Amino acid sequence: MHHNKDVEFMKNLVKTLIITCTFFAGLSTQVQAKEEMLDKVAAIVNAGVVLESEVQGLLKHIKKQAEKNNQALPSDNALRTQVMDKLINDSLIVQIGERMGVQVSDAQLDQTIANMAKENKLTLPQFRQTIISDGDDYEKYRENVRTELISGEVRRNSVRRRIYISPQEVSNLLDLMKEQTNNDVEYNLGHILIEFPSDATQADMTASKVRADKVIELLNSGSNFTKIAIASSGGANALEGGDLGWKNVNEMPTLFSELIAGQNKDTVVGPIRTGLGFSIVKILDIRGRQIVEIEEVKASHILIKPSVILSEAKAEAQLQDMLNEINTGDATFTDLAKEFSEGPTSVRGGDLGWADPKSYDPAFKEALATMKIGEYHKPFRSSFGWHIIQLNDRRMIDATSQMNKNRVYQILHNRKFGVESARWIKETRDEAYIEIFEQDK
């Protein structure tokens, strides 16, 4: 339980609301003359709640997936702890998103689900039927996707400002990659994080180290990595069995890469002491570097941010007026961007250069996906404000062999993002009021 002097009032208010809602729900049940199971509050998270139905829904989904993949799971208690952790984090992040004004429209949501169906080589109706056949409620599934999109955007916005990459770091990694001979190998890594508590004492650290050593002992004697990760890891990938995906040595945190490079499949390394706790890493598999072609786009944009004195409608109207001027030839996109666009690209006439569209805000990425070269996009809203875009060009590049500064910068950003993201959520939880209610036995 975490206390914050600013949340005591909120805690009591939320509790009062819960009691009131439960009372009226009880009256409603009596009127219907039929007994219904009331949804219970599993946890209070600042001004929000996690409901027991959400916990049970996610538990059911994980068990179903594990059964499908023939994967052993830890005890129900250990699994519930991890599920609660995820739902508490989701609740905190969605509340931050509401304060930031991050929104995912129904159109964006439908486009994302359509893309998910496409990736699975299914039509949208087939994809929907697959979810229903798995025993999941499609509307709930759809809202969970919305939560994941909002969480991703909030996390990116909150963590991005904590990451600094110096020109020297870029230069050093560029030189190293040019010299390396092990650039053609990728490792599929599993990660277990045994966390320190906040304000850890020496005794806390020793206890965490003992737990980490015990986990390594279990792994070396043949225990299932995924099962242990789900049961005991404090990492963001715990519910996925700690799977970090495929990475070459440059894409891993430096502490990992020094121990992993040149090792064989099934090697377990650790415990590796980090700022968050003790990390244990296992090489789940090794393969030759896969050639990955990605599409890059060259685009320019004009950004107008709504404010107290500039409404959403006014910001959109201003951009529409600019678009009309461009289309009639009364102004150029570049000149308007230099004069009116907010943000660092305005001095370059809004030029964003060549970039992987996945690195952009989801709304921006999805707008670009609908455009032809030379087209302008009508005003639309992202989490940064209102934009119009000009798409200048598209190209396919070999993402694996390209060793330019942008690619190296992206590798360093991804390497730091995971660590900073974990620190950010830990700090966010430490500052929050969280109360978890015991289950009725």
Side-chain angles (χ1 to χ4, degrees):
M1 191 187 296
H2 305 285
H3 284 281
N4 179 321
K5 60 185 179 184
D6 298 328
V7 296
E8 203 58 43
F9 170 76
M10 187 58 73
K11 162 193 165 184
N12 293 329
L13 176 63
V14 173
K15 278 189 171 177
T16 305
L17 285 170
I18 291 163
I19 291 162
T20 308
C21 292
T22 306
F23 172 72
F24 282 116
L27 286 181
S28 157
T29 308
Q30 288 168 19
V31 169
Q32 290 170 17
K34 142 176 132 171
E35 202 171 323
E36 289 178 10
M37 183 67 184
L38 291 180
D39 205 350
K40 291 179 185 166
V41 172
I44 296 174
V45 185
N46 279 347
V49 294
V50 173
L51 296 171
E52 184 60 31
S53 59
E54 294 176 274
V55 178
Q56 292 304 324
L58 186 48
L59 281 168
K60 182 179 156 194
H61 177 75
I62 290 165
K63 286 179 176 179
K64 201 163 285 170
Q65 292 304 310
E67 194 179 323
K68 196 187 281 186
N69 300 325
N70 204 18
Q71 170 60 53
L73 287 173
S75 70
D76 281 2
N77 277 350
L79 192 56
R80 185 183 172 90
T81 301
Q82 292 287 32
V83 162
M84 284 296 294
D85 259 3
K86 175 179 166 35
L87 293 173
I88 286 167
N89 288 351
D90 283 351
S91 178
L92 279 171
I93 293 171
V94 166
Q95 288 176 58
I96 294 167
E98 284 167 3
R99 293 200 295 274
M100 280 182 172
V102 176
Q103 292 176 330
V104 173
S105 68
D106 285 346
Q108 280 175 270
L109 186 57
D110 290 338
Q111 184 60 53
T112 301
I113 293 173
N115 291 342
M116 289 164 72
K118 198 171 164 187
E119 282 169 20
N120 284 283
K121 298 182 173 55
L122 297 169
T123 64
L124 194 52
Q126 285 170 336
F127 187 67
R128 186 175 181 274
Q129 193 50 53
T130 305
I131 290 157
I132 294 165
S133 301
D134 279 350
D136 293 321
D137 180 301
Y138 181 73
E139 285 309 313
K140 278 186 185 167
Y141 179 88
R142 194 168 170 275
E143 287 310 308
N144 286 341
V145 172
R146 195 196 302 268
T147 299
E148 290 300 324
L149 288 173
I150 291 169
S151 294
E153 189 53 35
V154 171
R155 206 179 276 271
R156 278 191 294 277
N157 285 343
S158 303
V159 176
R160 189 163 32 206
R161 64 181 69 123
R162 298 165 64 111
I163 294 172
Y164 172 70
I165 297 166
S166 70
Q168 190 60 48
E169 284 179 282
V170 174
S171 174
N172 290 348
L173 182 54
L174 199 55
D175 291 343
L176 180 67
M177 285 171 73
K178 282 172 182 167
E179 289 169 16
Q180 273 174 351
T181 55
N182 60 1
N183 232 9
D184 294 332
V185 180
E186 289 182 319
Y187 301 87
N188 181 203
L189 299 182
H191 176 229
I192 294 171
L193 173 66
I194 305 300
E195 289 180 297
F196 299 144
S198 303
D199 306 320
T201 62
Q202 191 55 51
D204 290 330
M205 290 185 189
T206 304
S208 294
K209 173 77 163 60
V210 168
R211 281 178 60 214
D213 286 336
K214 179 67 181 165
V215 167
I216 288 175
E217 193 184 311
L218 288 168
L219 292 172
N220 285 332
S221 61
S223 289
N224 181 288
F225 187 92
T226 303
K227 185 176 175 180
I228 292 179
I230 293 171
S232 58
S233 180
N237 308 80
L239 283 172
E240 292 84 49
D243 190 349
L244 294 180
W246 289 96
K247 298 181 186 298
N248 86 340
V249 287
N250 296 307
E251 293 165 318
M252 305 172 197
T254 315
L255 285 168
F256 293 5
S257 62
E258 290 165 357
L259 296 166
I260 294 293
Q263 296 291 345
N264 298 322
K265 183 181 171 182
D266 294 329
T267 301
V268 175
V269 297
I272 305 161
R273 166 82 184 272
T274 71
L276 294 164
F278 288 100
S279 282
I280 296 151
V281 181
K282 181 176 181 179
I283 302 175
L284 303 174
D285 207 352
I286 299 174
R287 71 182 183 191
R289 181 89 191 210
Q290 305 292 293
I291 300 300
V292 178
E293 274 208 327
I294 60 165
E295 183 187 53
E296 283 195 330
V297 294
K298 191 173 192 298
S300 304
H301 80 135
I302 298 173
L303 168 66
I304 303 289
K305 297 179 182 178
S307 65
V308 177
I309 51 171
L310 184 70
S311 69
E312 297 276 341
K314 188 75 177 160
E316 184 181 8
Q318 277 186 12
L319 286 170
Q320 188 57 54
D321 290 344
M322 289 182 210
L323 204 49
N324 296 340
E325 284 186 60
I326 292 163
N327 286 326
T328 56
D330 294 332
T332 68
F333 194 100
T334 302
D335 289 344
L336 290 173
K338 282 179 179 172
E339 190 173 350
F340 298 108
S341 186
E342 299 178 57
T345 63
S346 60
V347 292
R348 301 195 298 273
D351 182 16
L352 292 158
W354 285 102
D356 178 352
K358 290 194 192 75
S359 65
Y360 290 134
D361 175 282
F364 203 92
K365 179 190 77 173
E366 281 157 26
L368 282 165
T370 65
M371 296 176 72
K372 293 187 177 75
I373 293 167
E375 271 188 348
Y376 300 100
H377 196 288
K378 68 179 184 183
F380 69 96
R381 182 75 156 89
S382 81
S383 58
F384 295 100
W386 284 88
H387 307 256
I388 51 175
I389 313 176
Q390 178 182 23
L391 178 61
N392 309 113
D393 208 353
R394 293 182 186 275
R395 69 181 181 190
M396 296 301 291
I397 62 156
D398 175 1
T400 53
S401 65
Q402 211 200 20
M403 290 188 192
N404 61 24
K405 284 186 178 176
N406 285 347
R407 171 86 179 128
V408 169
Y409 183 92
Q410 200 58 46
I411 286 171
L412 287 166
H413 182 276
N414 292 347
R415 193 195 277 180
K416 293 185 177 192
F417 187 89
V419 175
E420 281 305 322
S421 184
R423 282 195 186 124
W424 170 74
I425 196 66
K426 189 173 170 63
E427 287 167 20
T428 303
R429 284 186 70 134
D430 286 347
E431 289 164 9
Y433 174 81
I434 298 168
E435 184 170 352
I436 299 170
F437 296 105
E438 291 295 319
Q439 273 181 290
D440 293 340
K441 299 296 178 195

